[in-house]
Amino acid sequence: MVARRDVPRYLSIAAGRETLAVRGGSRQSALAVVSTGAKVAVWPSKRGVMSGQKVQLVERSLVMDRWRLAAILTVVVLAIGACGGDDDDGGNGGGGGDGATADAPQVSQANAQGDVTWCIGRDTTGAFKTVVDNFNQQNQNANVELLELPESADEQRRLQIQRLRAESPECDVLGIDVIWTAEYAAQGWLYDVSEPIEQRSDVFIPSTLETAQFEDTYWAVPFNTNAGFVYWRTDQGGDQPPDSWQALYEQAQQENGLVYQGARYEGLTVNFLELLYSAGASVVNEDATEATADTQEVRDVLAFMRRGVTSGAVPQAVTTYMEEESRRAFESGRATYMRNWPYAYALGQDSQIAGDFEVTTFPSYQGNEGAGVLGGYNLGISAYSQNAEGSLAFIEFTTTPEQQQIMVTEASLPSVLTEVYDAQEVQDALPFASDLRDAVSQAEPRPVSPVYPQISEAIYTNAYAALQGEKSPDQAAQDMNQGIQEALETF
């Protein structure tokens, strides 16, 4: 069954860089007024403020000085009152808020029929295609097609959002990085899948379910999870890995170096947070409402990462590396150590260094136990899908133990199901399966916020500047904190 809840929308008035959200009006009568330089556009807000809708009805040019803006605000607020809005829910101008999530479509029943398109990052191992073929063979009334997006997570998000803003039905099932779930939900881009999740919540590793939840509602189904590991060449670094990050950097300087994800993108945010979490600190407070990055712990981590580059323990080229560049450098013999996700294990076993490397959990940092950052992908159903029940059927199929085992054994993508780690095939494919399950269970999430992309950008932009020596650790920490706070204040 598919259902949609009908609730009031919101009015947003943006002038320059200032945004004001005014609550009121019904779905039919709510207005959005947005100033862009010297133009003011007025249109019905069909799917909530900042939803990407462009149903423009009126556009008038005028000079937007403060007095005229005040007059517009007065007129619009009075108009909302005249519309008889009786909404008591809160709203915001940063991405849809309660209005978008409360009006989300719901799907509760799976029905394996019709066409479904699965949009997710590049299938580098062929495991995604295997699962698609298995589903199609077992469900003659349905047909799933795989639409591969680029390897870069940032590019995947950009292309998905491009389609969602256009209300395109092209993608039915979205492969969503765990950090995008809150953002997509706040924008009204996902089906509410709370009912099917709650019916089988006991089969998932609890920490993975947290990544699919926003405002006490499940917006996606966990598909694969992740926790980073240290890879090392046993023929160069010995049989035992260093027991601390400091020792690892020292050993890397003596051997052939350490590679990780140091490009200016989400991967650098994760690498930075792994060290920061190990130091017992964070970049936001507990409820992600206030920035806490202007601290000595942040400065120390940035300085530590910069020293790795200047000492030669980490090659300067790491500032151009994403996951695949790191893996290729490690497999080609250009590094003794590598920080990467578990997927690189299976690929490494098919490379020229097969049998000459091992993996381990993160070492300690400044006397504290090493901490991981929860990664992975969820599967969400686009609010514009024309086959939500067929999409749910496919998603549920991909999260059965049999298909999850394929993801582990063929792609080294850690399962979201607790029982899968006990399977002999999984333990054979991933000798560190038990450690991986523990790492996933104990990993910490990144800040859960609809504005997480902006938070992350503030992190990786300044961490990158520190790595490059363009900013001192002190300046980078201050700028990071300011950027995070500005992002939080937009929602």
Side-chain angles (χ1 to χ4, degrees), residues 5 46 66 77 86 97 174 188 212 379 386 390 418 445 447 484 486:
R5 289 174 286 184
K46 183 179 178 184
R66 290 183 178 273
V77 172
D86 55 0
L174 299 166
L379 297 183
Q386 297 175 354
T418 303
I484 294 172
E486 289 175 353

Side-chain angles (χ1 to χ4, degrees), residues 112-117 132 135-136 139-145 387:
Q113 66 176 9
D115 295 329
V116 173
T117 299
V132 168
F135 178 83
N136 288 337
N139 297 276
Q140 297 301 312
N141 294 326
N143 180 63
V144 174
E145 292 187 0
N387 188 8

